[in-house]
Amino acid sequence: MMCCAGGHYCSKKNSDVCGQETNMSRMCCILRGLDVKTLIFIFAVVPMCTFGIYLHGQKISYFLRPLWEKPPKPFNVIPHYYNENVSMENLCKLHGWGVREFPRRVYDAVLFSNELEILNLRWRELYPYITQFVLLESNSTFTGRPKPLVFKSNREQFRFVDSRLTYGTIGGRFIKGENPFIEEAYQRVALDHLLKIAGITDDDLLIMSDVDEIPSAHTINLLRWCDDVPSILHLQLKNYLYSFEFLADDNSWRASVHRYQSGKTRYAHYRQSDHLLADAGWHCSFCFRRISDFIFKMKAYSHNDRVRFSHYLNPKRIQDVICKGADLFDMLPEEYTFKEIIGKMGPIPHSYSAVHLPAYLLENADKYRFLLPGNCLREDR
């Protein structure tokens, strides 16, 4: 007997019979007992909601972040004073610091992936004040993908630092499925060893930052000449995306400068003190000349889980996103209050100011035009 076959209602007898039938018959009995609205909810609304969560679950999570995560403790922001016509003695005094009889030595250490143009800008900006440039390169991305030794293949471009460069390579471990931050930490430990080879000693200054987090030259000159500077000082950098046309905010803080202490100082990229020096440089994220470099980084860096769908890597889509100033990963802003999240939703407004940018960039504008306002189109390869 089929479920309630030939009848207009399920009698107790029929219900008992239904209970003795197959799973299909039981399901049929259950559905006959539901009204139309309930059926629509089950077969239309629920699947649509499930699909919506699959597509936008990350956005929902980021939007609701203020409900379960409190903002970090505020930094003690140190006002930053600078004018090229003011003496170093007076600049140090304005910051509440003394002035030294001679400047500290400065080491600039980075992990390198494929950011050739940004590395060149960084080193040109800092060159007058750096004692030793230290660069570590791996044949593995943080996500365990094999990669060429890009710097080694292009070292000829950086002959101007050769006499002051300590370069090292490290083999990747290529552990499948491992958290990318473990490989990143492994490479940072290796960078600690390379710094010792470079000759760093106690009280030297050490810049800890990613390649695209560029301290301004006058900031580093100030810190090497002034006394009583905090032993660990984070740098507030202007946050740019894709080029210096899209200024997101001035909330980049991970770059830091340390007075080196043997056995204590460890190369890291997280918060290590409460002191933050205002307006100390630039963070230009995903500032590449070629679309292929965007794709490489999206798949290679520690947050590669943000590539949730394959079409995110479509070159035409990436080009459109760059020119709009939108988010490559279609994410909401990573903020801690609803006001900040809503305020930053949507593309970054275009900026037409190229004032107070790295000097080498403006002196070589034809070579680096892709980083200047009004030049969003990128080369394919």
Side-chain angles (χ1 to χ4, degrees):
M1 177 186 293
M2 293 301 292
C3 171
C4 306
H8 300 285
Y9 65 94
C10 286
S11 67
K12 185 174 185 300
K13 180 178 178 181
N14 280 339
S15 296
D16 291 341
V17 171
C18 284
Q20 297 171 7
E21 297 292 336
T22 65
N23 289 337
M24 183 64 72
S25 299
R26 292 171 187 163
M27 181 62 69
C28 187
C29 284
I30 292 171
L31 294 178
R32 284 294 298 267
L34 300 176
D35 58 27
V36 175
K37 291 182 179 179
T38 304
L39 291 173
I40 293 174
F41 179 81
I42 292 173
F43 291 107
V45 177
V46 171
M48 288 173 62
C49 289
T50 303
F51 184 64
I53 291 172
Y54 170 71
L55 287 179
H56 304 292
Q58 192 178 62
K59 285 186 177 180
I60 295 170
S61 174
Y62 272 72
F63 186 77
L64 298 179
R65 183 182 188 182
L67 296 179
W68 63 73
E69 191 170 351
K70 294 181 179 180
K73 176 184 176 182
F75 278 101
N76 168 36
V77 181
I78 300 172
H80 190 171
Y81 302 92
Y82 174 72
N83 185 285
E84 61 185 8
N85 296 316
V86 179
S87 70
M88 186 57 67
E89 182 178 1
N90 283 332
L91 287 174
C92 290
K93 184 178 178 180
L94 283 167
H95 291 85
W97 303 327
V99 65
R100 295 169 55 86
E101 292 183 6
F102 54 88
R104 288 187 178 89
R105 302 194 308 168
V106 184
Y107 286 71
D108 180 39
V110 294
L111 292 175
F112 181 78
S113 179
N114 67 327
E115 313 95 330
L116 287 171
E117 285 89 1
I118 291 296
L119 179 68
N120 198 12
L121 285 183
R122 177 194 183 94
W123 282 359
R124 298 282 185 177
E125 174 73 14
L126 298 177
Y127 183 80
Y129 308 121
I130 301 300
T131 305
Q132 194 75 199
F133 295 95
V134 182
L135 183 145
L136 180 69
E137 183 174 29
S138 175
N139 64 346
S140 167
T141 68
F142 293 156
T143 53
R145 292 173 176 267
K147 65 173 282 291
L149 296 176
V150 178
F151 180 84
K152 186 176 182 180
S153 300
N154 293 273
R155 188 163 178 171
E156 188 70 15
Q157 297 181 27
F158 301 93
R159 283 181 299 173
F160 68 98
V161 301
D162 241 7
S163 63
R164 288 193 252 163
L165 174 63
T166 301
Y167 170 64
T169 61
I170 183 172
R173 295 172 306 136
F174 302 105
I175 300 177
K176 189 175 181 180
E178 183 179 65
N179 186 321
F181 289 100
I182 296 177
E183 177 66 27
E184 181 177 346
Y186 168 72
Q187 293 186 24
R188 293 190 189 279
V189 170
L191 191 51
D192 281 328
H193 293 292
L194 191 60
L195 277 163
K196 293 176 182 177
I197 295 172
I200 195 167
T201 58
D202 284 357
D203 208 43
D204 290 340
L205 291 185
L206 170 60
I207 303 171
M208 295 187 190
S209 69
D210 287 350
V211 172
D212 58 8
E213 297 168 337
I214 308 173
S216 61
H218 70 79
T219 295
I220 299 307
N221 195 33
L222 175 77
L223 297 179
R224 76 190 190 117
W225 272 107
C226 294
D227 237 340
D228 309 314
V229 174
S231 59
I232 301 176
L233 181 63
H234 283 276
L235 305 179
Q236 182 189 54
L237 309 179
K238 292 181 178 177
N239 242 336
Y240 291 91
L241 191 62
Y242 311 138
S243 72
F244 292 101
E245 179 172 353
F246 297 104
L247 175 58
D249 54 43
D250 59 358
N251 295 336
S252 179
W253 55 264
R254 290 184 179 274
S256 58
V257 177
H258 299 239
R259 283 176 20 213
Y260 188 82
Q261 293 179 276
S262 299
K264 185 175 180 180
T265 303
R266 294 286 182 270
Y267 197 96
H269 199 236
Y270 51 76
R271 182 167 175 170
Q272 301 177 71
S273 87
D274 294 332
H275 302 292
L276 179 71
L277 181 63
D279 197 7
W282 314 269
H283 180 192
C284 199
S285 185
F286 280 90
C287 290
F288 295 113
R289 181 189 298 275
R290 301 171 186 83
I291 296 293
S292 58
D293 289 330
F294 282 83
I295 296 172
F296 174 83
K297 181 169 181 177
M298 291 171 74
K299 296 190 294 185
Y301 84 142
S302 297
H303 296 287
N304 74 315
D305 58 310
R306 295 176 178 178
V307 184
R308 294 176 295 128
F309 305 105
S310 60
H311 74 270
Y312 282 8
L313 302 174
N314 181 281
K316 184 179 184 303
R317 174 192 175 271
I318 292 172
Q319 180 62 79
D320 290 342
V321 167
I322 294 168
C323 287
K324 290 176 183 176
D327 191 276
L328 278 172
F329 306 99
D330 195 25
M331 291 172 56
L332 291 181
E334 297 181 77
E335 299 296 345
Y336 294 93
T337 68
F338 290 116
K339 180 180 179 181
E340 290 174 325
I341 291 173
I342 294 171
K344 289 187 176 182
M345 288 175 67
I348 301 170
H350 294 256
S351 168
Y352 300 97
S353 171
V355 177
H356 187 52
L357 295 181
Y360 189 79
L361 169 62
L362 298 181
E363 289 171 349
N364 297 270
D366 288 340
K367 181 179 180 181
Y368 293 101
R369 193 161 296 280
F370 71 98
L371 292 176
L372 295 172
N375 297 276
C376 67
L377 296 180
R378 296 294 189 267
E379 300 173 12
D380 292 332
R381 292 186 177 278

